[in-house]
Amino acid sequence: MGKIIILLLIIGAIYYFFIKKPKVNNEEKKDESQDLILCDKCKTFYPKNEIKKIDGKNICKECYANS
């Protein structure tokens, strides 16, 4: 039984130090997705990453695809 526990501890240590992926800074992603911008064509708020700036106007993906 003791050998099984030691084996599990070794496997856990290998996973923790070598296989585990580094944490990604999610604050930058949250900030970008939480910024809402008004679409100048349909007057609806969309996340910043779904807005394109065309001729100085903010256009959402849907309006851009339909025009």
Side-chain angles (χ1 to χ4, degrees):
M1 184 69 174
K3 291 181 182 181
I4 293 174
I5 293 174
I6 292 173
L7 180 65
L8 290 174
L9 288 174
I10 292 172
I11 292 172
I14 290 171
Y15 173 77
Y16 181 76
F17 289 111
F18 297 107
I19 299 175
K20 186 177 175 185
K21 295 181 181 178
K23 292 182 180 178
V24 177
N25 189 358
N26 289 333
E27 292 178 14
E28 295 173 3
K29 291 181 181 178
K30 289 180 184 176
D31 290 341
E32 185 176 321
S33 64
Q34 288 179 354
D35 291 340
L36 295 177
I37 298 177
L38 181 67
C39 173
D40 292 329
K41 192 169 184 179
C42 65
K43 305 298 182 198
T44 305
F45 286 97
Y46 285 94
K48 185 177 182 179
N49 57 353
E50 293 185 16
I51 294 285
K52 291 185 177 186
K53 192 141 188 120
I54 301 171
D55 296 330
K57 295 183 179 181
N58 296 320
I59 307 293
C60 66
K61 288 181 179 180
E62 293 176 14
C63 292
Y64 181 75
N66 293 334
S67 61

